[in-house]
Amino acid sequence: MTTPPQADHSARAHSFNAAAAQYAANRPSYPPALFDALEELTGRPLKGSRVVDVGAGTGLATARLHERGADVIAVEPGAAMAAEFRRTLPGVPVVRGNGNALPLADHGADLLTYAQSWHWTDPTLAVPEALRVLRPGGALALWWNTDAHDVPWIADSGRRIDRHFAGLNLSAEKRNFDARFADPTGNLDFVHHEIRWSRRVPLDTHLANLGSHSVFLTDTEERATAFFAEERRHLLAVFPDGLVEETYDVHLLLAPTPTT
């Protein structure tokens, strides 16, 4: 099958608006242990904290922060994603914007969070914006759900995806979570915390989750359809009952801001 030209970073970043409902229905959420870690590493409870969730998408992380009692405002650049957010979380404010130019006042947030979204920013712009919006003694928290590639079937699936998108090296892209990646300027001092968790979902949900990623959203329909038909065959050999055990490692990077 002919490999089409790869979509650029901007096209991938904006691709989610075409699949907001699919994203909301099938993407995994985040485990309670992640939010326990946020409280432990920041030294303050989420309850009552002023939290800004940037690149909030359809609100998967925002909902968990809100449930923990945080006073959350969401920032989301995409119109369709923001509309889905408002449908599912009507009581939580969401404003249009992105991490490179936050539409927020100075020093008003205790915690600034980026769930699956920091890699869509320009850190040379987003780091100064984070420092501007956070109060002294606040914290910037970045996290990603990543596939656990030490699980054999996940590693096999990852290799098939890498072959499908030859040249992108997606497996390496998904494991780039060091401080140099997060802040090339070196202005922030990140700690790295990792949490493993899993969920059991129908095969259709797993494939729809996979299809909600930017590389597939910007693939051609013909190529994507052929890939998912073949992937379904591979996964039914591993999960004949049609229920897939997805295993994730959440990578959390957290950096406090100076107290003065």
Side-chain angles (χ1 to χ4, degrees), residues 17-34:
N17 280 298
Q22 177 183 349
Y23 190 109
N26 300 290
R27 280 288 183 107
S29 184
Y30 304 98
L34 168 64

Side-chain angles (χ1 to χ4, degrees), residues 10-218:
S10 177
R12 286 175 61 187
H14 289 90
S15 65
F16 302 109
N17 280 298
Q22 177 183 349
Y23 190 109
N26 300 290
R27 280 288 183 107
S29 184
Y30 304 98
L34 168 64
F35 303 96
D36 294 341
L38 286 175
E39 293 183 326
E40 179 181 349
L41 292 170
T42 60
R44 64 176 298 146
L46 284 168
K47 185 175 182 179
S49 292
R50 295 166 293 175
V51 180
V52 179
D53 188 28
V54 187
T58 61
L60 293 174
T62 315
R64 303 289 82 80
L65 291 161
H66 181 65
E67 288 167 1
R68 296 288 286 247
D71 179 13
V72 191
I73 182 170
V75 178
E76 167 54 39
M81 297 290 269
E84 186 69 24
F85 181 105
R86 293 187 181 99
R87 187 185 69 79
T88 56
L89 292 170
V92 179
V94 57
V95 296
R96 296 286 301 282
N98 65 70
N100 295 336
L102 292 168
L104 301 168
D106 294 356
H107 308 307
D110 298 310
L111 181 65
L112 199 62
T113 63
Y114 283 79
Q116 310 290 128
S117 60
W118 183 256
H119 53 287
W120 300 122
T121 71
D122 176 350
T124 63
L125 300 175
V127 168
E129 276 294 89
L131 293 172
R132 179 184 66 79
V133 169
L134 285 165
R135 66 165 180 80
L140 172 65
L142 325 174
W143 68 81
W144 294 263
N145 262 331
T146 66
D147 298 324
H149 281 277
D150 59 329
V151 177
W153 79 263
I154 293 176
D156 290 343
S157 179
R159 284 188 286 269
R160 290 191 293 270
I161 293 169
D162 281 346
R163 286 195 298 270
H164 183 74
F165 295 105
L168 277 185
N169 196 9
L170 294 172
S171 294
E173 191 176 291
K174 291 180 179 180
R175 289 195 289 269
N176 192 8
F177 303 112
D178 63 21
R180 292 186 302 275
F181 155 76
D183 177 22
T185 68
N187 290 323
L188 296 173
D189 185 16
F190 283 100
V191 295
H192 182 195
H193 189 79
E194 189 174 330
I195 300 159
R196 175 155 291 194
W197 72 289
S198 65
R199 68 171 189 167
R200 192 169 172 84
V201 297
L203 177 56
D204 285 345
T205 298
H206 172 76
L207 293 175
N209 167 29
L210 196 58
S212 75
H213 287 73
S214 62
V215 286
F216 284 107
L217 294 175
T218 53

